[in-house]
Amino acid sequence: MTSPPPLHPAVAPLAGLVGTWTGPGRGEYPTIEDFTYTETVTFGHVGKPFLAYQQRTMSPAGLPMHAEMGYLRPVGADTAELVIAQPTGIAEIHTGSMLTAADGSVEFRFASATIASTPTAKRVDEVRRTIRWHGDVLSYELDMSAVGEPLQFHLSARLQRSS
């Protein structure tokens, strides 16, 4: 058994994100019924200048709902990129700001720079993700413009560190 590599200096300020986060979320959109879910997010690393991201949600009945994987890449003192792939055929590339407050909380504000999709995927035109992290709490809001609807709220969740 080998120990994990050291965290890359570029992601050292985000060391506290590494681990697993779990908690409740809710969603709405004009084309679907409102819903709730339980979410699990994991951030990991391999010693390179990015954090690996994995997300999955389950319905209240315990059935799988959504999943996505990607990478969080700090690219400057206050900027970051987020690259996400979904099994629904959507790939998102985000650019954004990374703000650290005096209390140590971090807020990422991402806007989609590119959204690519397979021929069978639903149309998504724009996504904005705001992610907040403070201590053992990770929360987010996701706004989306898709299937002909304007940009608007779609998802939010509040997760607690579980490992």
Side-chain angles (χ1 to χ4, degrees), residues 8-158:
H8 191 280
V11 294
L14 305 178
L17 275 175
V18 174
T20 301
W21 306 77
T22 305
R26 70 175 189 88
E28 61 184 58
Y29 209 67
T31 59
I32 58 174
E33 301 252 346
D34 294 359
F35 58 96
T36 60
Y37 54 91
T38 299
E39 180 162 9
T40 300
V41 167
T42 302
F43 286 97
H45 78 95
V46 294
K48 296 290 190 174
F50 57 83
L51 293 180
Y53 161 82
Q54 182 177 359
Q55 181 269 10
R56 66 183 186 277
T57 56
M58 304 291 275
S59 73
L63 301 173
M65 293 177 66
H66 180 75
E68 54 190 41
M69 298 180 78
Y71 300 95
L72 173 61
R73 301 179 51 218
V75 293
D78 60 354
T79 57
E81 297 171 341
L82 182 64
V83 179
I84 294 175
Q86 302 175 24
T88 56
I90 306 289
E92 303 173 29
I93 298 173
H94 294 267
T95 58
S97 60
M98 183 172 60
L99 312 166
T100 303
D103 67 358
S105 62
V106 176
E107 180 175 281
F108 298 95
R109 295 181 187 162
F110 290 110
S112 53
T114 301
I115 298 176
S117 60
T118 64
T120 59
K122 289 184 181 177
R123 181 176 147 200
V124 176
D125 297 311
E126 183 178 1
V127 177
R128 293 188 185 167
R129 295 173 183 249
T130 302
I131 303 166
R132 292 177 191 86
W133 161 52
H134 188 247
D136 289 336
V137 176
L138 181 68
S139 62
Y140 70 84
E141 291 88 36
L142 184 146
D143 296 336
M144 178 175 72
S145 171
V147 294
E149 296 290 333
L151 184 67
Q152 60 194 287
F153 172 79
H154 179 44
L155 303 169
S156 68
R158 182 176 168 87

